[in-house]
Structure formats: structure tokens, C-alpha cells
Amino acid sequence: MKLYNDVAQYYDLFSLGLPGELEFYRRLAKGKNKVLEIACGTGRILLPIMKDGMDITGIDISQKMLEILKKKAKKDGFSPKVHLADMRNFRLKGKFDLIIIPYNAFLHAETSEDQISTLKCARRHLKEGGTLAMNIFFPWPEYMVKHNNKILKSRKPAFTDKHGKKIWVYDKPKYDYINQLVRVQWYFLEGKKLREKARVGIHLSFIYKKEFELLFRLAGFSKWKVYGGFKGEKLTNPKQQMVCLIRK
């Protein structure tokens, strides 16, 4: 995916994940024979699980993100099993006890067809009794209306690139309420005068809880739980993450 190739050099510096997210996936992976991470990126989740001694494989659609992952692993003396692949139609040897799709990555499947294809592909790679786990944001209408097509405040803190220059990142989300898509423009600004260094756009779908449950069923699943946090909290507030555990 070209957009993540464009942002790969900065990704680890500003995309830090969510509180409790890494610990959640490490707990799930503990004791599993084989784990697969879909959309593993630069290895924020995959590498700690690998260091825990788990047999984990990763796929991602961005070659540059995978190159960064491999460099980080090599520096720590590891040789990761990662593949350049599309989550909608990948084919790997063997099946997995656990498949994870962290940090809204499933939402890169923009159409219902792509979402079902991704879920079916994951299901084919799961062992009987295996678990598919993912976390995604809840589409909160009030938030979307308030922030639509507005440049949001810089993420804090600003980060320093490899040349020692301060970089600030601003977001500008534009919501398509009819087609349930959000197009987020990332602005990378440099120096005191905030000179634009780069601009990258990403597209995400947004999906509500009952839609997810229908997608799970259409993909062939019959058992799932949707929580409101990484500690099994009940989903009661639109500010919560939806944390899904789907069993084969």
C-alpha cells in the first residue's frame, strides 16, 4: 500500500498504539503454538510477541514497513517470519491458533466485499477452536460531526527525525457518512515555521457493532464477543474501543 510506504520512515515515531493494547495481544498469544498478525506493519505488536518466545508470523501490504520490521528484528538478533501480502486474499502454509488484527487495521478493508473476504481468509487460516482478535474504534457520530474536515491539534509530543529535526503531525479527517468512510490527511510539519515536509492520506471504513456481527456471520463464524476495552469491559460508551474475539 503506497500510503504506508510513504509514511514508513516516521511511523514508529508517532504511531504508538493504545494504552493496554500491546499487553492485551501478548496475553492472548501466551501459550499458543502458532500466531499470525495481519497488517503487522513495523512490528510494534509482532516483535514483542516474538521476544516472548511465541511462534508468530506476520503479513503486511507495505514493503517498506516490513523492511523496517526486519531491521529492528535483526538488531535484536531475531529473524522474523513475515510476508508481503494482502489481508483480503493471502495464502500461507499451515493454520494458526490465534490471528490478530490490531489497531484499526481491519478498517483498511473499505467495502463490505473486502471486509467479508478478509474475515473469510482469516477463518481459512484458523485451526478449529482458534481465535481471531481485533480492535477497532467505535464510530461516534458526535465526534465525527465536530471534527469533520478540520485540522486537529498536533499530536503530542512532537518527534525528532533521524536528522535531529522536530516534526509535528496534524490530522485532518473527512467523513463520508453515506459510504461509511473516513479519509484522514496526515500533515508532517518541520521547524519553527512549521514548513510542510510531507502529506499522506489514509482511508478507513467505519463499522458499527451490529454490522460487525453480521459480517462475522456472513464470513462463517458463529461465536464471538465484542468488548469495550482490553480488559473485557462491557461496551457501553462510544468513546471505547471495540475489542472483538471471534472463535472458529
Side-chain angles (χ1 to χ4, degrees), residues 117-130:
S117 294
T118 299
L119 290 170
K120 283 184 174 180
C121 198
R123 189 177 185 277
R124 284 196 298 271
H125 286 79
L126 271 178
K127 294 179 182 178
E128 287 298 326

Side-chain angles (χ1 to χ4, degrees), residues 68 115 160 167:
I68 292 172
Q115 291 154 10
T160 303
I167 305 291

Side-chain angles (χ1 to χ4, degrees), residues 121-172:
C121 198
R123 189 177 185 277
R124 284 196 298 271
H125 286 79
L126 271 178
K127 294 179 182 178
E128 287 298 326
T131 299
L132 170 63
M134 67 176 81
N135 63 288
I136 49 268
F137 70 84
F138 189 94
W140 185 16
E142 182 180 338
Y143 178 92
M144 292 191 288
V145 171
K146 181 178 179 180
H147 295 99
N148 187 37
N149 212 26
K150 296 177 181 177
I151 296 179
L152 306 184
K153 291 181 179 179
S154 175
R155 297 168 185 247
K156 300 293 184 180
F159 65 84
T160 303
D161 70 9
K162 63 183 179 181
H163 303 296
K165 295 181 179 179
K166 288 278 189 182
I167 305 291
W168 282 261
V169 184
Y170 287 76
D171 298 347
K172 185 180 181 181

Side-chain angles (χ1 to χ4, degrees), residues 16-24 27 44 103 135 229-231 233 241 243:
L16 305 178
L18 298 167
E21 183 184 33
L22 172 58
E23 293 76 12
F24 169 74
R27 287 196 306 271
R44 181 177 60 85
Y103 202 41
N135 63 288
F230 297 112
K231 295 182 179 179
E233 300 95 323
Q241 279 271 306
V243 178

Side-chain angles (χ1 to χ4, degrees), residues 152-201:
L152 306 184
K153 291 181 179 179
S154 175
R155 297 168 185 247
K156 300 293 184 180
F159 65 84
T160 303
D161 70 9
K162 63 183 179 181
H163 303 296
K165 295 181 179 179
K166 288 278 189 182
I167 305 291
W168 282 261
V169 184
Y170 287 76
D171 298 347
K172 185 180 181 181
K174 186 173 183 179
Y175 294 95
D176 178 345
Y177 305 115
I178 302 301
N179 295 301
Q180 291 186 213
L181 295 171
V182 56
R183 293 169 173 82
V184 181
Q185 199 82 15
W186 285 335
Y187 297 88
F188 294 82
L189 306 178
E190 174 188 283
K192 292 182 179 179
K193 295 184 179 180
L194 297 182
R195 180 176 63 86
E196 185 172 315
K197 186 176 179 66
R199 183 186 300 189
V200 179

